Amino acid sequence: MTELTSTEPTTAAEIPAARAIISVRDFNFFYGKKQALQDINLDVPEKQVTAFIGPSGCGKTTLLRNFNRMNELIEGVHHTGNITLAGRSLWDSSLEVIALRRLVGMVFQKSNPFAKSIYENVIYSLRISGVRDRATLEEAAERSLRGAALWDEVKDRLHESALGLSGGQMQRLCIARAIANRPKVLLMDEPCSALDPIATARVEQLISELKNEYTIVIVTHNMQQATRCSDRTAFFYLGQMVETGPTAKIFTSPTEKRTEDYVTGRFG
């Protein structure tokens, strides 16, 4: 795994008691000729939960997917500016994309377990990395399933198909798969949008526990979820980041009127 050298954040005063593990500077992103993100400057503090909120099409998922270069799977995209992870550019020529995605795991809106056993789902990334030692794989599977609060529910059926799990269990399995490689950052794109309230509560509780070990960035349309889960919130509108700050401030005393209008339901 590629190791990154840490540096102090450029704007440490904006992030009390936590250094920025991801820094976005003067970042613009384009799908062909269409500009999706405009002059984004943002610090994501380490081992906290940062929520991206805003109406559909505002750029929050686009930015999230740049953190592990997922957008590069789309033809014709390009960017200006820079994003760094622990002080190192994501486009550093010596940082391979595969190595980056081990450092920055992702959980998608719709749970996407492989048509394999629960066990094989969790250790998939280790297998493709060349890990063959059975004890190492078994330790990683149990550690990851415990980390995703799923071990006690599946420990007696690890070799059964993952497709037999409930929706909420599948999403937690995808979280277990994402943390098996011990990433530095965990990205979550609307992770609860397809779940019922009980499963949503389980995942939200899990997010609160996981931030003790991982930096988490979550995209959500559910503003109540943002207030419950996140330490900091960034509001996006029409490709711009309008405002960012502690979640309590964004929702109770935002600086920008557009932020206030959105969080109070006047638009969006």
Side-chain angles (χ1 to χ4, degrees), residues 119 122-123 126 133-146 151 180 182:
Y119 175 79
V122 177
I123 65 168
L126 282 77
D133 180 69
R134 181 174 177 179
T136 300
L137 294 173
E138 289 181 351
E139 183 280 328
E142 180 173 349
R143 168 179 51 79
S144 303
L145 288 166
R146 286 189 183 278
W151 174 255
R182 297 185 185 271

Side-chain angles (χ1 to χ4, degrees), residues 60 79 152:
K60 54 191 185 296
H79 76 275
D152 289 339

Side-chain angles (χ1 to χ4, degrees), residues 124-194:
Y124 179 79
S125 61
L126 282 77
R127 282 207 189 278
I128 64 173
S129 297
V131 179
R132 295 289 180 266
D133 180 69
R134 181 174 177 179
T136 300
L137 294 173
E138 289 181 351
E139 183 280 328
E142 180 173 349
R143 168 179 51 79
S144 303
L145 288 166
R146 286 189 183 278
L150 192 57
W151 174 255
D152 289 339
E153 297 171 43
V154 302
K155 62 184 179 182
D156 296 324
R157 48 182 179 135
L158 293 177
H159 300 289
E160 296 179 12
S161 173
L163 302 181
L165 298 174
S166 70
Q169 288 174 324
M170 284 186 184
Q171 193 64 307
R172 283 183 284 142
L173 177 64
C174 292
I175 293 171
R177 188 173 66 196
I179 64 177
N181 260 321
R182 297 185 185 271
K184 290 179 177 288
V185 178
L186 186 60
L187 310 177
M188 295 185 166
D189 186 8
E190 293 277 359
C192 301
S193 64

Side-chain angles (χ1 to χ4, degrees), residues 1-2 65-74 85 90-91 95-106 108 125 128-129 177-179 181-187:
M1 181 181 295
T2 303
R65 289 170 64 91
N66 269 291
F67 290 164
N68 66 353
R69 294 175 57 181
M70 286 288 290
N71 283 325
E72 293 180 14
L73 300 172
I74 303 169
L85 174 64
L90 301 189
W91 292 275
L95 176 59
E96 296 180 352
V97 174
I98 292 174
L100 172 64
R101 291 175 186 160
R102 292 187 193 126
L103 293 164
V104 185
M106 189 159 188
F108 296 91
S125 61
I128 64 173
S129 297
R177 188 173 66 196
I179 64 177
N181 260 321
R182 297 185 185 271
K184 290 179 177 288
V185 178
L186 186 60
L187 310 177

Side-chain angles (χ1 to χ4, degrees), residues 8-217:
E8 288 302 308
T10 304
T11 54
E14 297 178 6
I15 310 171
R19 71 181 182 94
I21 188 168
I22 295 175
S23 291
V24 185
R25 292 292 176 267
D26 303 320
F27 190 74
N28 298 276
F29 187 81
F30 303 82
Y31 294 105
K33 295 181 179 180
K34 179 182 177 182
Q35 185 167 3
L37 293 171
Q38 303 173 35
D39 298 320
I40 306 297
N41 287 278
L42 172 70
D43 286 319
V44 176
E46 187 175 36
K47 293 187 179 178
Q48 292 187 18
V49 180
T50 299
F52 290 174
I53 64 170
S56 296
C58 67
K60 54 191 185 296
T61 293
T62 294
L63 181 59
L64 186 84
R65 289 170 64 91
N66 269 291
F67 290 164
N68 66 353
R69 294 175 57 181
M70 286 288 290
N71 283 325
E72 293 180 14
L73 300 172
I74 303 169
E75 187 175 354
V77 301
H78 63 283
H79 76 275
T80 63
N82 198 20
I83 301 174
T84 59
L85 174 64
R88 185 174 179 184
S89 173
L90 301 189
W91 292 275
D92 186 320
S93 60
S94 64
L95 176 59
E96 296 180 352
V97 174
I98 292 174
L100 172 64
R101 291 175 186 160
R102 292 187 193 126
L103 293 164
V104 185
M106 189 159 188
V107 177
F108 296 91
Q109 181 175 1
K110 188 177 186 300
S111 59
N112 58 343
F114 304 136
K116 298 174 178 290
S117 70
I118 295 167
Y119 175 79
E120 289 294 336
N121 263 271
V122 177
I123 65 168
Y124 179 79
S125 61
L126 282 77
R127 282 207 189 278
I128 64 173
S129 297
V131 179
R132 295 289 180 266
D133 180 69
R134 181 174 177 179
T136 300
L137 294 173
E138 289 181 351
E139 183 280 328
E142 180 173 349
R143 168 179 51 79
S144 303
L145 288 166
R146 286 189 183 278
L150 192 57
W151 174 255
D152 289 339
E153 297 171 43
V154 302
K155 62 184 179 182
D156 296 324
R157 48 182 179 135
L158 293 177
H159 300 289
E160 296 179 12
S161 173
L163 302 181
L165 298 174
S166 70
Q169 288 174 324
M170 284 186 184
Q171 193 64 307
R172 283 183 284 142
L173 177 64
C174 292
I175 293 171
R177 188 173 66 196
I179 64 177
N181 260 321
R182 297 185 185 271
K184 290 179 177 288
V185 178
L186 186 60
L187 310 177
M188 295 185 166
D189 186 8
E190 293 277 359
C192 301
S193 64
L195 303 182
D196 63 49
I198 294 175
T200 294
R202 296 287 300 275
V203 172
E204 289 181 359
Q205 177 61 35
L206 178 57
I207 290 170
S208 297
E209 295 167 1
L210 287 172
K211 76 175 182 180
N212 293 318
E213 188 170 352
Y214 306 98
T215 301
I216 298 174
V217 185

